[in-house]
Amino acid sequence: GAVHELPNDHLPLALDNDESYASADLDCERGDLLVLYTDGLTEAASTSGEQFGYRCIGDIAAASRTGPLCEIADAILDAVDRFSPDRADDQTLLLVRIR
């Protein structure tokens, strides 16, 4: 149930041909869940301007990590929709379970 963040301080892929990207090795074990998302999810804002944030995504993923991927995705996207009434940016989510 531990959540580990892999920070990314780079521009999106293919946005700038001169951007360099770092890579990292990640040791995964059977049952691990990888949650990849765009900033449109973490930066979704409430009516008061508070951002949804990566911790909320991690909390939801950790709490439902053994469930079907479609249910985990629905839980995350539903939480973002409840938190933020307006989609001002793209919201992309990819879940991968190591088997």
Side-chain angles (χ1 to χ4, degrees):
V3 176
H4 302 281
E5 179 189 8
L6 297 174
N8 177 17
D9 297 325
H10 301 286
L11 292 172
L13 290 173
L15 193 62
D16 181 349
N17 290 336
D18 296 327
E19 179 76 6
S20 61
Y21 297 90
S23 64
D25 291 326
L26 180 63
D27 291 327
C28 295
E29 297 180 11
R30 185 182 184 119
D32 283 353
L33 177 66
L34 304 180
V35 182
L36 306 137
Y37 50 85
T38 59
D39 64 353
L41 290 170
T42 55
E43 294 175 359
S46 67
T47 54
S48 66
E50 178 185 6
Q51 292 187 345
F52 190 72
Y54 69 88
R55 282 194 176 98
C56 291
I57 292 174
D59 290 347
I60 295 167
S64 56
R65 68 188 176 278
T66 60
L69 295 181
C70 60
E71 289 180 12
I72 299 168
D74 286 345
I76 292 170
L77 296 173
D78 289 347
V80 172
D81 284 343
R82 286 190 307 275
F83 183 84
S84 178
D86 184 28
R87 289 189 182 202
D89 197 358
D90 69 293
Q91 296 181 346
T92 304
L93 177 65
L94 174 65
L95 301 176
V96 178
R97 180 171 289 125
I98 305 301
R99 296 235 176 236

